[in-house]
């Protein structure tokens, strides 16, 4: 399977990763080789349909669906990691133009 | 007295009998770490904190109080596992200034038993790699030969135990990241069954496969540590309700009624001859212990690596979406709008392998390809699981080589991701099929490089592989061979 430069650009856009021209060329080559390798899975025929259903047993234990809450000190500890903040708010670039 | 390569028991006994102080032993390891700085095994060191804790342990001993199971035992922890108030980079530049706000449950359980954490060990970025060369903080070197890789992703943890920089270490294994570096560095490494040990506080890479486990000098120590870290934890809803066993009490049960399978698929083309001979010699040793050997076949196991390299990137692309530089992490300063902020922050913060896997994951989950790649991988995973389940009806454990080759040279596979992926060919099946696995040293090559043997057990049968590993280590001394550092 050959991945084109345009496809790499599209994947990078979906993945929110800015790539340089050299990186795009390298990833086109790498991704093609890796996808060629994993394509062998498509040869496996004797596959039961049942697997398509969600078969996971689900969590073995549920927690109560309740808000535990955090102390002001805990909140401050988490907020101290925020690169850009305004008082107790997280600051970002505008979402809407 | 010499502190060289003390076991956990020698440390706790020595402290109780006041043969040395806890500060002495912590200082010994800190000096070893300093003297072996070129191995680059640690990302963060905690010397002041460790010495302070050691003094508290010494006061406790002086006042005649009893010590807890691992009280005063100095350990290292892989940097992908959170320890409260300490920097946690996960080997990534995007978290170069991140401080963990809480303890991972494995860390919490070990702290409750009194361990002293000396530092956070180097690893491949977010645990993605088989050589530790994908760390943003430089590669770790193999203590047996510094021109070679220690394996990955928990390379720093393996090297820190092999070079006697701590008593034991905790790492994580998603496709071999405990067993493969343990093999390359000549130490014991246990990957418990998925759902055996809480994943709370592990930076999520592949949530359906990640599992934490110990690096130790012996299988006996791995059993003692598993007893502590396999505690119930309501922070991990996928944890098994099945209670852990008293693993260390079961180590001395007889093994002569057990049957070990040799899967022929693990001994074919691509296996290094010296490794093959070492494994064959080890199999003879197991026969001497009275274990029965049976040849078995797992025809679909060859697909495990391909399954792994679809499921893993798929989960990675989703799990790593959280690293956007807004709530924590190191953001790009150059961005003009939000879209650019994300893509420049991630471009700057992620290394080459992480970007590669995020993009493969994005591809295999995309609308047009999800069925052919991701869903097909899940279907084949099911077949592999069923195949192993059938084989474990005939045998109690499997023996395989842990790696197809001895540790390779730094840089040797760095530019060829697919060749690098093949380093995990013998370890990924345990994760894909939901098994437990143990690496034990079983030989040295003529270049004096360690060879690792892998014992695979049925889900939640850790006691079987630990018991077999323990009996082997009672009969041989490969686990006591030391690197020239």
């Amino acid at each position: 399977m050959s991945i084109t430069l345009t496809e790499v650009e599209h994947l990078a856009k979906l993945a929110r990763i800015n790539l340089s021209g050299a990186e795009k060329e390298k990833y086109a080559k790498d991704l093609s080789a890796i996808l060629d390798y994993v394509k062998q899975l498509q040869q496996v025929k004797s596959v039961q349909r049942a697997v398509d259903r969600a078969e996971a047993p689900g969590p073995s234990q549920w927690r109560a669906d309740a808000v535990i809450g955090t102390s002001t000190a805990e909140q401050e500890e988490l907020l101290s990691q925020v690169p850009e903040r305004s008082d107790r708010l997280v600051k970002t670039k505008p979402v809407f133009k | 007295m010499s502190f060289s390569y003390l076991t956990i028991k020698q440390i706790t006994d020595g402290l109780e009998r006041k043969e040395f102080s806890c500060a002495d032993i912590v200082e010994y390891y800190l000096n070893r770490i300093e003297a072996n700085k070129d191995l680059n095994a640690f990302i963060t060191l905690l010397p002041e904190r460790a010495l302070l804790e050691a003094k508290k342990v010494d006061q406790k001993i002086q006042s005649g109080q009893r010590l807890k199971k691992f009280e005063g035992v100095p350990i290292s922890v892989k940097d992908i596992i959170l320890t409260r108030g300490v920097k946690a980079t996960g080997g990534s530049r995007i978290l170069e200034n991140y401080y963990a706000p809480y303890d991972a449950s494995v860390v919490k359980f070990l702290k409750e038993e009194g361990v002293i954490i000396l530092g956070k060990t180097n690893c491949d970025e977010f645990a993605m790699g088989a050589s530790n060369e994908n760390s943003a903080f430089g590669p770790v070197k193999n203590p047996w030969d510094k021109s070679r890789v220690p394996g990955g992703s928990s390379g720093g943890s393996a090297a820190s135990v092999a070079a006697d920089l701590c008593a034991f270490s905790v790492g994580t294994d998603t496709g071999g990241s405990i067993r493969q570096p343990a093999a390359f560095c000549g130490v014991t490494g246990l990957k418990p069954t998925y759902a055996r040990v809480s994943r709370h506080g592990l930076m999520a890479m592949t949530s359906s496969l990640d599992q934490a486990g110990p690096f130790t000098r012996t299988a006996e120590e791995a059993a003692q540590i598993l007893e502590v870290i396999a505690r119930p934890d309501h922070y991990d809803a996928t944890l098994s309700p099945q209670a852990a066993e008293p693993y260390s009490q079961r180590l001395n049960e007889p093994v002569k009624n057990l049957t070990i399978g040799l899967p022929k698929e693990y001994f074919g083309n691509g296996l290094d001859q010296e490794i093959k001979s070492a494994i064959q010699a080890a199999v003879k040793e197991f026969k001497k212990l009275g274990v029965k050997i049976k040849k078995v076949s797992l025809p679909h196991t060859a697909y495990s690596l391909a399954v792994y390299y679809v499921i893993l990137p798929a989960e990675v692309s989703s799990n790593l979406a959280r690293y956007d530089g807004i709530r924590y992490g190191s953001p790009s300063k150059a961005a003009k709008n939000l879209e650019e902020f994300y893509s420049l922050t991630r471009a700057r913060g992620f290394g080459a392998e992480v970007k590669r896997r995020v993009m493969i994951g994005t591809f295999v989950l995309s609308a047009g390809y999800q069925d052919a790649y991701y869903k097909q991988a899940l279907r084949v995973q099911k077949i592999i699981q069923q195949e192993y389940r059938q084989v474990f009806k005939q045998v109690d454990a499997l023996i395989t080589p842990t790696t197809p080759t001895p540790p390779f040279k730094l840089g040797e596979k760095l530019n060829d991701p697919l060749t690098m992926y093949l380093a995990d060919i013998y370890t990924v099946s345990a994760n894909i099929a939901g098994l437990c696995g143990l690496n034990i040293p079983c030989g040295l090559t003529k270049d004096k490089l360690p060879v690792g043997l892998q014992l695979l057990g049925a889900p939640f049968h850790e006691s079987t592989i630990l018991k077999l590993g323990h009996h082997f280590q009672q009969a041989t001394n490969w686990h006591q061979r030391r690197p020239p550092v």
Side-chain angles (χ1 to χ4, degrees):
Chain A
M1 168 134 209
S2 182
I3 297 285
T4 64
L5 278 181
T6 320
E7 284 170 309
V8 171
E9 279 165 9
H10 183 58
L11 290 173
K13 187 173 186 297
L14 290 173
R16 305 285 188 275
I17 299 173
N18 189 58
L19 295 182
S20 70
E23 278 181 309
K24 284 178 201 165
E25 302 217 354
K26 167 115 180 75
Y27 286 128
K29 197 169 121 280
D30 289 352
L31 266 55
S32 303
I34 295 162
L35 292 171
D36 266 341
Y37 177 78
V38 301
K39 215 169 66 185
Q40 59 175 289
L41 294 177
Q42 287 157 25
Q43 300 160 9
V44 184
K45 288 275 177 344
S46 57
V47 161
Q48 302 143 344
R49 283 266 151 245
V51 182
D52 286 348
R53 286 186 279 117
E55 274 201 3
S60 47
Q61 44 183 333
W62 293 102
R63 262 186 288 157
D65 184 15
V67 178
I68 300 167
T70 49
S71 67
T72 316
E74 283 171 312
Q75 289 166 14
E76 189 46 50
E77 198 179 340
L78 294 173
L79 282 166
S80 71
Q81 309 256 7
V82 176
E84 247 196 299
R85 60 186 272 203
S86 170
D87 191 24
R88 292 177 57 72
L89 300 173
V90 178
K91 219 169 151 181
T92 69
K93 304 272 180 212
V95 177
F96 302 107
K97 282 171 195 139
Chain B
M1 78 169 281
S2 164
F3 288 132
S4 177
Y5 289 93
L6 291 181
T7 61
I8 297 172
K9 188 166 180 347
Q10 283 167 331
I11 294 174
T12 50
D13 285 356
L15 290 174
E16 296 254 13
R17 293 190 200 121
K18 298 183 189 165
E19 286 164 13
F20 46 79
S21 72
C22 189
D24 289 342
I25 183 81
V26 166
E27 268 166 24
Y28 165 76
Y29 285 125
L30 292 174
N31 289 335
R32 287 280 302 171
I33 292 169
E34 180 61 29
N36 290 285
K37 238 161 72 178
D38 60 333
L39 292 175
N40 200 24
F42 286 86
I43 292 178
T44 302
L45 277 175
L46 305 164
E48 291 88 13
R49 192 189 276 233
L51 280 168
L52 203 72
E53 287 172 24
K55 291 207 173 97
K56 282 187 197 153
V57 175
D58 285 332
Q59 282 163 5
K60 209 171 153 182
I61 297 168
Q62 286 311 321
S63 66
Q65 293 179 62
R66 272 202 70 85
L67 296 184
K68 288 180 276 191
K69 189 168 179 174
F70 296 140
E71 192 137 20
V73 177
I75 72 161
S76 69
V77 176
K78 185 180 185 180
D79 207 30
I80 203 152
I81 304 173
L82 304 190
T83 58
R84 184 177 165 84
V86 175
K87 197 184 268 192
T89 70
S92 182
R93 197 174 169 200
I94 207 162
L95 295 182
E96 61 192 348
N97 298 313
Y98 179 70
Y99 284 80
Y102 62 95
D103 277 329
S105 295
V106 280
V107 170
K108 188 179 102 188
F109 300 151
L110 287 167
K111 279 185 177 175
E112 283 167 2
E113 292 298 341
V115 299
I116 295 178
I117 298 173
L118 297 168
K120 302 294 296 296
T121 50
N122 202 343
C123 56
D124 283 300
E125 184 174 7
F126 293 122
M128 293 180 222
S131 69
N132 216 121
E133 293 167 295
N134 295 334
S135 165
F137 303 91
V140 175
K141 291 171 184 161
N142 191 314
W144 291 83
D145 176 349
K146 291 178 189 169
S147 69
R148 292 176 191 274
V149 303
S153 65
S154 316
S157 285
S160 72
V161 173
D164 199 25
L165 311 183
C166 58
F168 70 86
S169 189
V170 188
T172 59
D173 189 317
T174 305
S177 285
I178 290 175
R179 293 157 290 150
Q180 188 255 17
F184 275 8
C185 291
V187 298
T188 302
L190 172 72
K191 183 205 91 78
T193 309
Y194 182 81
R196 178 71 289 163
V197 176
S198 170
R199 289 180 295 111
H200 176 63
L202 270 52
M203 291 178 194
M205 198 256 272
T206 309
S207 307
S208 72
L209 305 174
D210 298 340
Q211 191 63 189
F215 286 88
T216 54
R217 312 216 186 285
T218 61
E220 183 181 14
E221 292 183 336
Q224 292 162 357
I225 296 163
L226 184 62
E227 281 165 359
V228 171
I229 62 174
R231 289 180 182 166
D233 181 27
H234 69 272
Y235 286 115
D236 180 355
T238 57
L239 215 54
S240 169
Q242 199 174 327
E245 293 179 57
Y247 302 102
S248 50
Q249 286 172 34
R250 299 200 48 196
L251 290 171
N252 289 313
E253 289 175 0
V255 293
K256 61 169 181 276
N257 49 350
L258 296 181
T259 306
I260 290 181
L262 292 181
K264 68 171 189 200
E265 289 78 9
Y266 284 78
F267 293 88
N269 288 344
L271 176 59
D272 177 90
Q273 274 309 318
E274 285 191 87
I275 294 185
K276 195 172 179 180
S277 310
I279 303 292
Q280 282 166 343
V283 169
K284 279 191 191 142
E285 200 59 55
F286 276 106
K287 276 189 191 161
K288 275 197 233 163
L289 295 169
V291 172
K292 288 186 227 31
I293 304 291
K294 185 182 164 90
K295 292 212 163 117
V296 295
S297 176
L298 293 148
H300 283 86
T301 200
Y303 293 107
S304 294
L305 196 69
V307 168
Y308 182 70
Y309 276 104
V310 174
I311 294 177
L312 174 145
E315 294 192 36
V316 159
S317 72
S318 151
N319 269 329
L320 269 61
R322 76 191 66 185
Y323 302 113
D324 58 8
I326 288 180
R327 288 158 303 144
Y328 51 82
S330 304
S332 157
K333 301 262 186 272
K336 290 189 286 292
N337 55 50
L338 191 62
E339 182 81 24
E340 227 180 75
F341 178 89
Y342 291 141
S343 61
L344 290 177
T345 295
R346 287 158 66 82
R348 178 188 167 280
F350 289 156
E353 179 63 19
V354 170
K355 291 178 189 169
R356 194 179 289 128
R357 294 197 193 182
V358 168
M359 283 193 291
I360 295 172
T362 307
F363 178 86
V364 300
L365 290 178
S366 60
Y369 296 103
Q370 194 188 53
D371 193 70
Y373 286 89
Y374 182 64
K375 286 191 177 166
Q376 179 68 3
L378 293 181
R379 294 180 200 121
V380 180
Q381 178 184 27
K382 202 84 200 165
I383 296 175
I384 295 169
Q385 283 169 353
Q386 284 163 352
E387 218 167 75
Y388 276 89
R389 207 170 295 162
Q390 286 305 318
V391 162
F392 278 113
K393 283 181 184 162
Q394 308 162 41
V395 300
D396 299 289
L398 296 169
I399 282 183
T400 79
T402 307
T403 61
T405 67
F408 43 90
K409 293 267 186 190
L410 285 153
E412 189 181 319
K413 302 187 180 191
L414 200 54
N415 293 317
D416 186 355
L418 199 53
T419 313
M420 184 72 90
Y421 294 174
L422 290 168
D424 284 335
I425 188 103
Y426 296 144
T427 47
V428 285
S429 304
N431 307 75
I432 294 301
L435 314 173
C436 52
L438 178 74
N439 174 76
I440 49 174
C442 75
L444 287 177
T445 67
K446 59 180 187 308
D447 293 334
K448 298 270 173 295
L449 297 170
V451 177
L453 174 146
Q454 178 174 236
L455 280 160
L456 294 176
F460 303 106
H461 284 242
E462 281 81 0
S463 58
T464 308
I465 55 174
L466 287 166
K467 184 159 67 183
L468 286 163
H470 177 64
H471 281 256
F472 182 81
Q473 289 179 335
Q474 296 292 298
T476 62
N477 63 4
W478 292 113
H479 61 292
Q480 287 163 341
R481 305 297 281 269
R482 308 298 179 212
V485 288

